[in-house]
Amino acid sequence: MGREVLAVLLADKTYSKVICVGRRALPLQHPKLVQHTVDFKAVAPFTALSHVDDVFIALGTTIKVAGSQTAFRAVDFEAVVALARAAHAQGATKLGVVSAMGADPKSTIFYNRVKGEMEEALSLLGFKRLVVVRPSMLAGDREATGQASRLGERLALALTRTLNPLIPVNYRSVQAQDVAHALVNAVKTSKTGTVRLLSGALQGAASR
C-alpha cells in the first residue's frame, strides 16, 4: 500500500519533494524522492525528519509477520503515531493515513481495536486536516509490490470476485491504486477537520 501512495505522490505536480521513511530502502530513484531508512525499534526513529507540509502514512503489518500482538502494535500503533507526531513537529498540518474497515477502539477484535486506537491517537495530535481511509481487503498482485503473498487473502479474493454483486460495497475488495488516489486527493481537497472514507467511497478513485 505504501508503494502505491508513493507512486501517486511522485506523479503529482503539487508536490516538489517527497520524503519516504521506511524500514528498508526501495529500489527506486526519482528526482523528487528522498529516502530515509529507520529502525522502528529505536527510541526516537524519526529525529532526522526535515520540514514537511503534508504527511501520508501507510505503515502496517500482520500479527503473523510481526510475530506477536505486541510486535504488531509496535508498528500499526506506536510507529504510526510516532511518525505523525514527528511530522507535526516539523510543520505538517495535513495528515492522511491508511487504516482498515472495522477500526474501532472498543472492538473486541485485537486488529480492529489497534486500528481504532491509532485513529483516535492521531486525532489528538493537532493536525488541521486528518484524512483516514478504511479500505476493505486489497486486491492486486502483492508480490509485484514487494509484499508477501498470503494464501488466505488469495482464496478470499477469489471468493469475493465471484460473489461481488452480493457483497455490500464497503466490504468488496478494493484496488490499492484506488485507495492511494483517494487518500492523496482527500488530503489535498478536504476541509479542516477529520474525514473518514470507507472502502466503498474509494472504489474507482484512480480513474476519477
Side-chain angles (χ1 to χ4, degrees):
M1 188 66 252
R3 294 195 188 191
E4 299 292 347
V5 174
L6 178 59
V8 173
L9 293 173
L10 291 176
D12 193 321
K13 295 180 180 179
T14 304
Y15 299 100
S16 59
K17 182 178 180 181
V18 179
I19 302 171
C20 178
V21 178
R23 289 169 283 187
R24 61 185 69 86
L26 299 176
L28 174 65
Q29 292 185 338
H30 191 282
K32 296 199 301 187
L33 179 62
V34 177
Q35 295 198 53
H36 288 297
T37 304
V38 299
D39 178 5
F40 289 167
K41 296 179 181 179
V43 176
F46 306 115
T47 53
L49 195 64
S50 57
H51 175 81
V52 291
D53 297 305
D54 302 349
V55 57
F56 299 86
I57 303 179
L59 290 174
T61 185
T62 64
I63 296 175
K64 181 178 180 180
V65 172
S68 68
Q69 289 187 343
T70 299
F72 170 84
R73 184 180 176 83
V75 175
D76 282 57
F77 178 87
E78 294 171 13
V80 170
V81 175
L83 177 55
R85 184 178 290 113
H88 187 266
Q90 292 297 329
T93 59
K94 294 178 285 185
L95 168 63
V97 63
V98 179
S99 184
M101 284 297 298
D104 182 350
K106 297 181 180 179
S107 177
T108 57
I109 301 172
F110 177 77
Y111 178 89
N112 291 347
R113 185 168 67 251
V114 172
K115 291 294 188 181
E117 290 174 350
M118 175 269 289
E119 290 185 19
E120 193 171 60
L122 295 181
S123 71
L124 300 175
L125 294 181
F127 285 91
K128 292 181 180 180
R129 182 180 300 163
L130 170 61
V131 175
V132 177
V133 293
R134 291 179 173 178
S136 184
M137 186 181 302
L138 295 178
D141 186 352
R142 297 182 65 87
E143 292 178 339
T145 58
Q147 302 178 64
S149 178
R150 301 167 185 167
L151 176 60
E153 285 190 356
R154 294 202 305 272
L155 294 175
L157 283 171
L159 180 62
T160 57
R161 279 194 292 268
T162 301
L163 301 177
N164 209 43
L166 305 177
I167 300 173
V169 65
N170 281 331
Y171 293 93
R172 296 174 187 172
S173 60
V174 58
Q175 293 291 333
Q177 296 96 324
D178 286 335
V179 180
H181 279 272
L183 178 64
V184 173
N185 288 337
V187 168
K188 291 166 54 179
T189 61
S190 296
K191 297 180 180 180
T192 299
T194 299
V195 175
R196 286 184 173 84
L197 299 176
L198 302 186
S199 197
L202 311 178
Q203 297 282 358
S207 59
R208 291 201 290 266

